[in-house]
Amino acid sequence: MVLDRRRLLHSGAAALGAVALSGAVPPGTAARVGAPGGPPGGAPAAGERPTASSPYPAVGPGTAFLDHRSLLGDLPEPEWYEANIPFVDLPDAAVRDTYYYRWRVIKHALKYTGPQEGWILSEFLGPVGYSAPHGGINAAAAHHIREARWLRDHRYLDDYIDYWLRGSGSGPKPATDFLNENTTDWAHQYSFWIADAVVARASTDGRWEHALGLLDALERQWGRWAPQFDDEVGLYWQTPVWDAMEYTASSYRSDDPYHGGEGFRPTLNAYQYGDAKAIAALLRRRGHRGDEAKADRYDERARALQRQQERWLWDEEDQFYKHVMRDGNPERRRIADREQIGFLPWYFHMAPAGNAAAWAQLRDPEGFSAPFGPTTVERRSPWFMYQALEGCCRWNGPSWPFATSQTLTALANLLIDYPAQSHVDRTDYYAVLRAYALTHRKDGKPYVAEAHHPDEDRWIYDGRGHSEDYNHSTFNDLVLSGLLGIRCRPDATVALAPLVPRAWDHFAVENLPYHGHNLSVLFDRGGEHYGHGAGLNVWLNGRHVHRQAGLEPVTLTLGGAGRRTLPREVDDLANVAQQGHPLARASYTFPLDSPAGAIDGQDLHLDTPSSRWTNYGSPHADDWLVVDFGVPTPVSDLRISFYDDGGGVRTPDSYELHHLGRDGRWHPLPGQHRTPRTPRPGTLNRILLEKAVTTASLRLTALRASGGAVGVTAWQSWRTEDPRLTLTVETPPDGLVPVEPGGTARVTTTVTATATAVVSPHLLVPDGWKALPRPAVHPTTLRAGKTLRAHWLVTAPADLPRQRPYPLRLLVRSRGAGAERLVTSVVARAQAG
């Protein structure tokens, strides 16, 4: 998928034995126990550090065998990776280096949309015209979930999944040709397999209560595909372009090769099968009255899809799953061409074992094999690479990471979970994965774009300022769950079934977050490489728990999942829409940059697309960057990521922070505790205040001793909210509080608690406005399920411009269970008609 209209667009390993980790520990060398991912430089530069949570999740006890900083290289903010990712060591440098690069892709794709919906993962780094609110695109969202499930910080995916199921990502969209005329909400714009991804995620982090809380929304998502179900055939139909696949071999069989004719495809039918099985598993796990019967019904629907797919889509002669045109095809004949989507049924364990002959095509020179493949249609097809070099976006031969990810996930399932077969083996998995890794290069540097030439070392669909770090696939999930064979299980076990080449004499994965534990696995054939014993060794939370000589599959029992719930934090400076407040401005800005780029919810360290402010080329000795909240806002935890391109824009030597006082003058922010004391390249700068300052504007002045240019990729103001509270400012249907210049309006606010809390509400209004509670509002003990309703008399200035919105901030102070101070807030807009 690309920017313009014509370029749109649970597994478990077979175990040979089980080892209980709660029993005796096999003899061997103990790991060094520590918290390698603990936030480095966490102490304040001077004075007592104010109480605040770490910006990174704590790693906890684990091992420290690998040189993490060396593996990360020059990635900016290494502390984020140290705290979040599993570290691997592999003898294949191409696969290893791509692994760390792809974590950078995920970090760049993280976009903070604001306090209401939190984090999403973007597909393109820059906005596109056919995306859902905030830039979400559901086509590869299940890939995003499977890839990011290995991160330690659960808040990213908690927010992202909720965005698609209950947030604005599930909201209405126009049913137009440009945005898919067949569906009316964003979560069904493209084919989507979210329930399967949610279960895969819960099987990794063990947080089943979160997954179970999504059940109603997952059922609703599954059911909304019903309009595309054909009762006669018993399968779902889909338009290829809304599978995110334009110009496919099946599309060229229609009179509209861009969209492709509607057809019964192995895509949506496999997705719906996988999601039905996932929902059934969640229902049984929840175990409410009627859940078992409902789970049986989902299982029967899945079996029916499986039967009809075998009947209509499986080509017995060609031994492959194929597209069947819906219209003008009364005999339901399959197309002649094998397309890569025919491997999809194995992704969801939908294909029977007897169909494994399909995989012979993966390595067949006339099938899907390619130096930079697999190809998206077999080479035998007359449509192979037809017009593929004349412009984006063809799925008739080019190698698409989206499809490669699905194929390799399916292949790992075949090799680990299915009975032995003679068509493909672990050498094929490694060969395809390595070819995929080798596509991740451009000009000798790590890179991923949209689609790659199957036979030449070059990206063919790669738009400048558009395709960089294209987040449309998985890679690290393929390394962890496939190559290294870490098979996540829904119970308190983990299965290890590596698919690494038999010639490898070592590999390692360290401090992998799994069910609240840290899992480290080292394979050292002779024991000399790592010096911690020969064979396969496993550590749990830094304790050696298992040793075996070879790489045969094994299932280990872990014990209960650890509970690690991170606090809810929100950034009051974020303005992803770049409309209204907060509003950024600067004394000078390089023409290709923008002050708004510093607060757009992203932290990109790329030349393009630009998501930053710089003063490159400024005539001034120094420049300032100001952010206007539009309404007084408490500030206590600021974080700044400076841009450094190694050339004309470099990390500043120092910086100053001021706030706008009630006297209309700028004052230094008092009580600053900075980490680090002075800026360092590639390091997040955190400024904690001894006491929160309430202000309407902040000013940053970054300085270089040489007088050179500086830049900011992200400026944030974080606070910790009370998860027990829900806040509202009551508004009319248009969402605007009506006010009159010089007049007084009555504004009603509510605070609802899910558990007992002492709350103190305040309504903050722009400078020159007034807000008086009627009657007076005092700290109140709010019981679970109760709501505190307050009324405020809001007076706007007499010279208030009409048709211009202004923010009103309802702010509630409370204390958490550990007596920590929490500040929960919601912003509404007021406007004079």
Side-chain angles (χ1 to χ4, degrees):
M1 292 179 294
V2 289
L3 186 60
D4 62 63
R5 172 66 180 86
R6 294 303 298 171
R7 302 169 67 195
L8 224 171
L9 290 163
H10 326 292
S11 57
L16 298 185
V19 180
L21 301 191
S22 56
V25 179
T29 306
R32 288 177 287 153
V33 179
E48 182 181 355
R49 175 178 175 170
T51 301
S53 60
S54 169
Y56 308 108
V59 173
T63 61
F65 300 129
L66 305 180
D67 184 346
H68 295 184
R69 291 304 173 96
S70 175
L71 289 167
L72 292 175
D74 60 356
L75 288 175
E77 199 181 343
E79 297 85 358
W80 183 89
Y81 300 89
E82 194 65 79
N84 274 293
I85 73 169
F87 281 78
V88 304
D89 179 47
L90 307 172
D92 187 321
V95 177
R96 181 197 64 212
D97 293 349
T98 302
Y99 175 87
Y100 290 102
Y101 162 67
R102 285 298 298 255
W103 283 125
R104 191 193 88 175
V105 170
I106 287 292
K107 188 173 188 300
H108 275 171
L110 288 169
K111 178 185 289 188
Y112 185 77
T113 66
Q116 184 174 353
E117 296 197 285
W119 295 96
I120 68 168
L121 284 121
S122 62
E123 177 177 318
F124 296 99
L125 297 180
V128 294
Y130 50 87
S131 62
H134 310 309
I137 302 174
N138 76 314
H143 279 330
H144 300 161
I145 296 167
R146 285 191 67 106
E147 190 87 333
R149 65 180 169 142
W150 304 99
L151 293 177
R152 190 166 279 105
D153 196 327
H154 61 77
R155 293 170 291 194
Y156 300 130
L157 284 187
D158 284 359
D159 289 348
Y160 187 50
I161 292 169
D162 205 58
Y163 166 85
W164 285 118
L165 291 177
R166 296 184 292 217
S168 59
S170 68
K173 72 163 183 65
T176 64
D177 177 67
F178 181 63
L179 297 174
N180 189 350
E181 61 187 4
N182 302 320
T183 64
T184 57
D185 66 272
W186 293 109
H188 292 82
Q189 181 181 17
Y190 294 94
S191 301
F192 195 8
W193 62 103
I194 189 170
D196 177 83
V198 164
V199 167
R201 190 268 181 120
S203 297
T204 305
D205 67 10
R207 295 173 60 251
W208 287 99
E209 69 283 356
H210 178 264
L212 294 176
L214 301 168
L215 247 173
D216 290 346
L218 289 170
E219 288 193 76
R220 185 167 56 251
Q221 169 75 13
W222 193 90
R224 284 183 176 171
W225 286 111
Q228 291 179 222
F229 185 78
D230 187 295
D231 292 322
E232 178 187 347
V233 177
L235 292 173
Y236 293 88
W237 58 266
Q238 181 61 292
T239 309
V241 73
W242 304 122
D243 269 339
M245 302 175 186
E246 308 94 328
Y247 297 104
T248 67
S250 51
S251 302
Y252 283 110
R253 304 288 179 179
S254 75
D255 57 3
D256 182 1
Y258 169 73
H259 289 89
E262 281 79 13
F264 306 102
R265 297 165 58 75
T267 50
L268 185 55
N269 288 288
Y271 301 163
Q272 285 291 88
Y273 172 91
D275 278 7
K277 298 293 288 185
I279 291 170
L282 288 172
L283 286 165
R284 292 193 174 94
R285 190 176 191 96
R286 186 175 68 177
H288 288 179
R289 182 177 180 180
D291 279 354
E292 182 67 31
K294 187 185 284 187
D296 288 343
R297 290 194 292 273
Y298 275 101
D299 277 340
E300 176 51 39
R301 291 168 183 169
R303 286 192 294 271
L305 283 174
Q306 187 179 42
R307 287 193 300 269
Q308 297 307 101
Q309 180 159 272
E310 292 304 305
R311 176 184 178 185
W312 297 110
L313 305 190
W314 176 252
D315 188 322
E316 184 64 31
E317 181 178 352
D318 281 356
Q319 295 284 286
F320 214 74
Y321 292 100
K322 294 181 176 181
H323 175 109
V324 173
M325 301 296 289
R326 185 191 68 173
D327 302 324
N329 185 25
E331 297 180 358
R332 305 301 184 200
R333 293 180 179 175
R334 306 169 194 92
I335 67 169
D337 317 84
R338 297 182 182 93
E339 298 178 279
Q340 196 178 356
I341 57 174
F343 294 122
L344 263 172
W346 282 269
Y347 185 111
F348 303 96
H349 300 84
M350 186 184 190
N355 289 359
W359 288 92
Q361 299 300 321
L362 182 67
R363 304 294 290 154
D364 189 325
E366 293 301 311
F368 298 92
S369 181
F372 299 98
T375 63
T376 40
V377 70
E378 62 180 333
R379 292 180 184 270
R380 300 180 188 89
S381 170
W383 303 110
F384 176 73
M385 294 298 284
Y386 175 71
Q387 297 180 337
L389 302 182
E390 297 178 16
C392 193
C393 292
R394 268 68 176 176
W395 289 72
N396 62 341
S399 173
W400 282 83
F402 179 99
T404 300
S405 302
Q406 293 180 326
T407 298
L408 280 168
T409 300
L411 178 56
N413 289 344
L414 173 73
L415 296 174
I416 296 173
D417 302 334
Y418 279 74
Q421 39 72 46
S422 60
H423 306 287
V424 282
D425 58 22
R426 67 175 61 219
T427 61
D428 298 306
Y429 184 90
Y430 174 61
V432 176
L433 179 68
R434 190 170 199 281
Y436 182 29
L438 292 175
T439 66
H440 285 71
R441 299 293 182 272
K442 183 178 179 180
D443 300 328
K445 297 179 181 179
Y447 192 82
V448 62
E450 298 175 66
H452 200 280
H453 197 293
D455 298 316
E456 300 174 12
D457 189 8
R458 63 187 178 101
W459 292 97
I460 55 176
Y461 305 147
D462 179 16
R464 180 173 174 81
H466 179 65
S467 304
E468 297 88 355
D469 280 4
Y470 185 48
N471 187 34
H472 195 235
S473 58
T474 62
F475 183 88
N476 294 341
D477 184 61
L478 303 172
V479 171
L480 295 169
S481 68
L483 183 69
L484 301 184
I486 300 169
R487 311 295 283 183
C488 300
R489 304 290 290 270
D491 55 11
T493 66
V494 64
L496 305 178
L499 295 176
V500 300
R502 297 193 183 280
W504 278 15
D505 60 10
H506 72 275
F507 67 81
V509 58
E510 181 162 72
N511 297 330
L512 178 141
Y514 186 80
H515 288 225
H517 303 289
N518 283 325
L519 184 71
S520 296
V521 181
L522 266 66
F523 175 68
D524 191 343
R525 190 179 304 279
E528 297 85 10
H529 189 85
Y530 297 115
H532 288 278
L536 184 77
N537 287 274
V538 181
W539 286 260
L540 186 71
N541 299 327
R543 184 171 66 95
H544 186 255
V545 294
H546 176 67
R547 173 178 294 157
Q548 65 184 52
L551 292 176
E552 63 273 10
V554 63
T555 295
L556 309 178
T557 301
L558 305 179
R563 301 287 179 178
R564 297 180 182 179
T565 300
L566 297 170
R568 172 171 167 77
E569 295 184 332
V570 299
D571 173 19
D572 288 319
L573 278 178
N575 186 350
V576 64
Q578 301 185 17
Q579 297 176 353
H581 292 89
L583 176 65
R585 54 190 175 86
S587 56
Y588 177 86
T589 301
F590 180 58
L592 296 182
D593 299 320
S594 167
I599 59 170
D600 66 357
Q602 293 183 278
D603 185 8
L604 304 186
H605 293 264
L606 297 170
D607 287 337
T608 56
S610 175
S611 174
R612 61 177 179 262
W613 166 80
T614 75
N615 68 341
Y616 184 75
S618 173
H620 308 140
D622 56 71
D623 285 291
W624 46 257
L625 175 66
V626 164
V627 178
D628 178 5
F629 289 107
V631 65
T633 301
V635 173
S636 61
D637 183 355
L638 297 171
R639 302 172 197 176
I640 304 171
S641 180
F642 290 110
Y643 179 67
D644 191 325
D645 64 5
V649 182
R650 302 306 303 270
T651 304
D653 298 303
S654 63
Y655 61 92
E656 298 174 355
L657 285 168
H658 292 79
H659 71 98
L660 189 64
R662 293 184 177 179
D663 58 3
R665 298 170 59 186
W666 291 103
H667 301 273
L669 273 176
Q672 297 182 41
H673 293 265
R674 298 184 175 187
T675 306
R677 182 190 298 270
T678 57
R680 296 197 300 263
T683 299
L684 180 70
N685 295 268
R686 192 182 193 195
I687 305 94
L688 293 174
L689 304 185
E690 291 180 0
K691 185 178 180 180
V693 172
T694 299
T695 182
S697 294
L698 293 171
R699 186 178 73 182
L700 167 67
T701 306
L703 304 168
R704 283 174 58 188
S706 64
V710 296
V712 176
T713 67
W715 188 8
Q716 306 156 346
S717 178
W718 292 93
R719 57 181 166 81
T720 303
E721 290 203 323
D722 193 330
R724 301 169 296 181
L725 305 181
T726 300
L727 280 54
T728 65
V729 177
E730 294 184 359
T731 64
D734 64 2
L736 295 171
V737 176
V739 294
E740 282 297 324
T744 299
R746 183 182 174 92
V747 177
T748 300
T749 63
T750 65
V751 183
T752 303
T754 58
T756 300
V758 178
V759 300
S760 179
H762 309 268
L763 186 65
L764 304 180
V765 294
D767 290 343
W769 295 47
K770 292 180 181 179
L772 298 175
R774 289 293 184 268
V777 176
H778 304 286
T780 302
T781 299
L782 199 58
R783 304 295 179 185
K786 299 299 182 181
T787 296
L788 173 64
R789 185 178 300 272
H791 305 286
W792 312 79
L793 299 181
V794 175
T795 305
D799 58 352
L800 183 74
R802 295 185 179 273
Q803 302 300 323
R804 177 181 171 185
Y806 289 83
L808 307 178
R809 181 181 294 277
L810 173 61
L811 183 146
V812 176
R813 301 185 188 278
S814 60
R815 287 186 179 271
E820 66 272 23
R821 297 176 180 177
L822 305 174
V823 179
T824 309
S825 179
V826 66
V827 174
R829 296 182 301 160
Q831 180 175 293

